[in-house]
Amino acid sequence: FDLPKEHHARTPADIERFYAASTLSPDARRIAARIWSEVSRAEAAVHGMDLSEVHFHEIGRRANIYAVGMIAELFVKAGVERFVVSPIPLADNEVECAHGTVPYPAPALAAML
């Protein structure tokens, strides 16, 4: 499906409302909520703000919100209880985002790693 280009600063509460209105299973909603909770804590830490002040720019696009929810539902449907991944390849680079030019990995990602 095709989603319109958008630039909204969405909050964790906004994302919760997307999932509450969705047809995701309760288990998938819990998994998705845990994922966004981790991202929210990392964002709050790197910006030195309270969790209630966190907002997402690029990662808060509907396509990303839907992707996290669909991945969570896939894990539930497939009965995945644990998964193992190889180390994430990192680069010493920069990316352009709503906050301007930031290092890659972005500070919140680096905090989660």
Side-chain angles (χ1 to χ4, degrees), residues 40-102:
S40 297
R41 281 198 296 275
E43 284 286 330
V46 301
H47 290 293
M49 62 176 56
D50 188 74
L51 277 171
S52 65
E53 298 175 283
V54 168
H55 61 278
F56 304 109
H57 293 280
E58 292 81 11
I59 195 171
R61 290 177 45 223
R62 280 184 282 176
N64 296 327
I65 297 167
Y66 295 160
V68 169
M70 289 185 286
I71 290 166
E73 191 69 66
L74 174 65
F75 287 166
V76 170
K77 299 279 188 216
V80 175
E81 294 180 18
R82 177 175 174 257
F83 64 97
V84 179
V85 297
S86 63
I88 297 172
L90 299 176
D92 184 14
N93 210 333
E94 297 176 332
V95 294
E96 294 293 324
C97 69
H99 292 290
T101 302
V102 297

